[in-house]
Amino acid sequence: MKKIYLDHNATTPVDPRVLTAMHPYFSEVFGNPSSIHAFGREAKEALERARGRIAHLLRAGEREICFTGSGTEADNMAIKGVAHSYRNKGDHLITSQIEHHAVLASCAYLEKEGFRVTYLPVDGTGRVDPDDVRKAITDHTILITIMHANNEVGTIQAIPEIGRIAREHGVLFHTDAVQTAGKLPVDVDALNVDLLSLSGHKIYAPKGVGALYIRKGTKITPLIHGGHHEHGRRAGTENLASLVGLGKAAEIAGAERAEEYKRLTKLRDALHKKITDRIERVFLNGHPTQRIANTLNLSFAAVEGESIILSLDMEGIAVASGSACTSGSLESSHVLNAMGIIPELTQSSVRFSLGRTNTPEDMETVAEALPPIIERLRAMSPLT
Ligand SMILES: *Cc1c(COP(=O)(O)O)cnc(C)c1O
């Protein structure tokens, strides 16, 4: 049985080209990038090449890229780092109700420290209204953090417009671009952002590395203290091999992004059509058009999403319900709740997230596997 992986928003496999690029940096080129001898210099050059590739992907300056240990750490660093640096300026932050837990939990932590946080609502498609952002800004606001695209439903936010509003009011603006870097054009100037997070393992690089873009002149209090790594912004000897991988992954994504976006849009829309042609009472969660190409979140009325996942898993097909963080519990998704989806449908949602490994044949296999599963589960359901 060929296994089909449709959970690329949770993680992606390391691209073979990335793995090849990383290989020498485990044993041949093993120097500490902070050492001044030849071993160290060679490691340092590789590290800076990787930084240059990330900077190029984001159209940023090399000094504006700070490597981190994950997307989660980049989000924490941006939010807590700005809050602690600009505390004398204000104590208010603005975010949305559909952010990743890395953002929501960082905000909740700051609330315990005495900061105030506004959690903006979203409409039925998962979009934040930029006017709501404008209205929420006060004289005490120091940071706005709104994600570029949502990991559960794929909805893309009006980041350039929100950024313009932030700038008009002299407020710093962070976006979590973990689901868009390497997928959409992510140009920090076009997006009007001051801080931007990305993660290695969502773009075919290894787990446990990420980066935070920090616009020149933005002050960030470090989370981790120690040596003078990353220009004093994040201490600790760099994860050299994985960061070389992150650089290579950024280079590949930059070169192939546009073509891959078209290919994935076609595959995803074909999957959507095949499913709705064959199964009744299926509802799309997320924006019909302002949505990243690889993401399809559907609710199958009168069936539990978890049951669908387990049934597909037995046929070698991997999909998700809600976010990976909430799977295993029957707690419904905070994203779907915020979008105002009725409870019966939030419980019955399934996320299909496509990637480089997927083919048109995969879409047909999934669309053939689903109807008997839904029919069987609906027949057993007390809701039908
Ligand atoms: C995966 C993800 C993160 C966390 O990144 P890690 O590298 O897994 O810590 C943050 N935000 C979004 C939107 C994500 O999808």
Side-chain angles (χ1 to χ4, degrees):
M1 179 172 62
K2 188 202 169 200
K3 287 199 178 165
I4 297 176
Y5 185 76
L6 290 174
D7 200 10
H8 291 82
N9 287 9
T11 196
T12 59
V14 173
D15 187 294
R17 295 167 288 180
V18 169
L19 195 56
T20 302
M22 290 170 61
H23 209 250
Y25 296 92
F26 287 102
S27 48
E28 274 166 61
V29 188
F30 65 90
N32 186 325
S34 299
S35 302
I36 59 171
H37 47 60
F39 292 81
R41 288 199 307 275
E42 202 181 349
K44 178 80 176 169
E45 273 163 31
L47 188 69
E48 295 313 313
R49 234 181 350 263
R51 195 187 309 279
R53 286 170 171 171
I54 299 289
H56 182 70
L57 184 72
L58 306 178
R59 304 291 184 263
E62 292 184 17
R63 285 206 49 143
E64 296 175 310
I65 304 301
C66 179
F67 289 131
T68 66
S70 61
T72 297
E73 188 190 321
D75 285 341
N76 272 260
M77 185 177 177
I79 295 166
K80 295 181 200 166
V82 164
H84 291 148
S85 275
Y86 292 86
R87 188 169 224 160
N88 56 353
K89 198 172 162 261
D91 63 354
H92 178 232
L93 292 85
I94 298 170
T95 187
S96 82
Q97 292 172 2
I98 63 158
E99 298 296 311
H100 190 272
H101 285 111
V103 167
L104 291 176
S106 295
C107 288
Y109 177 80
L110 288 174
E111 282 185 288
K112 280 200 256 164
E113 287 191 345
F115 287 90
R116 291 171 304 126
V117 182
T118 300
Y119 298 88
L120 295 175
V122 294
D123 66 16
T125 68
R127 292 261 279 182
V128 171
D129 183 343
D131 260 347
D132 286 347
V133 177
R134 190 194 307 277
K135 287 179 203 148
I137 297 173
T138 73
D139 291 343
H140 305 282
T141 310
I142 50 175
L143 181 71
I144 297 166
T145 172
I146 305 278
M147 70 200 316
H148 194 186
N150 182 268
N151 46 301
E152 290 187 35
V153 295
T155 298
I156 301 167
Q157 303 297 340
I159 296 300
E161 198 179 339
I162 297 170
R164 210 172 312 121
I165 293 167
R167 201 154 286 170
E168 275 167 28
H169 291 81
V171 177
L172 292 171
F173 182 36
H174 166 251
T175 194
D176 174 337
V178 170
Q179 290 296 345
T180 56
K183 291 183 192 166
L184 290 174
V186 172
D187 173 327
V188 290
D189 288 332
L191 292 176
N192 295 324
V193 295
D194 301 298
L195 301 125
L196 180 145
S197 306
L198 61 82
S199 169
H201 74 105
K202 306 288 174 80
I203 59 168
Y204 306 90
K207 294 162 184 66
V209 281
L212 179 64
Y213 158 76
I214 307 169
R215 186 175 291 280
K216 192 167 173 272
T218 309
K219 281 184 291 171
I220 286 280
T221 302
L223 291 177
I224 301 174
H225 301 90
H228 192 77
H229 309 87
E230 299 296 300
H231 303 295
R233 295 180 295 203
R234 197 237 188 206
T237 301
E238 297 85 354
N239 184 351
L240 182 64
S242 290
L243 290 171
V244 166
L246 180 60
K248 185 69 186 173
E251 185 187 56
I252 295 170
E256 300 180 355
R257 178 184 60 69
E259 275 305 305
E260 182 66 354
Y261 203 81
K262 274 189 240 160
R263 190 184 77 90
L264 290 176
T265 305
K266 249 201 216 153
L267 286 189
R268 180 204 56 193
D269 291 346
L271 177 63
H272 190 187
K273 179 163 192 317
K274 285 174 196 287
I275 291 174
T276 46
D277 280 352
R278 297 172 202 191
I279 305 170
E280 284 177 4
R281 289 186 295 143
V282 180
F283 304 95
L284 174 71
N285 299 312
H287 199 284
T289 55
Q290 289 301 307
R291 185 159 49 101
I292 41 174
N294 76 320
T295 304
L296 181 64
N297 188 314
L298 298 174
S299 284
F300 296 83
V303 208
E304 295 257 302
E306 297 280 332
S307 311
I308 302 173
I309 292 169
L310 296 175
S311 301
L312 284 174
D313 187 44
M314 286 196 284
E315 307 203 17
I317 299 166
V319 299
S321 82
S323 65
C325 309
T326 52
S327 70
S329 70
L330 271 181
E331 204 179 297
S332 64
S333 143
H334 69 287
V335 175
L336 298 180
N337 287 341
M339 286 164 59
I341 310 289
I342 59 167
E344 191 215 319
L345 291 180
T346 61
Q347 295 290 347
S348 65
S349 92
V350 174
R351 179 185 71 188
F352 306 86
S353 55
L354 285 56
R356 277 183 205 154
T357 64
N358 297 127
T359 64
E361 293 71 45
D362 292 349
M363 302 303 109
E364 182 55 29
T365 307
V366 175
E368 274 171 25
L370 263 173
I373 291 172
I374 302 297
E375 194 178 337
R376 177 173 52 80
L377 293 172
R378 278 186 179 157
M380 289 166 18
S381 167
L383 298 168
T384 23

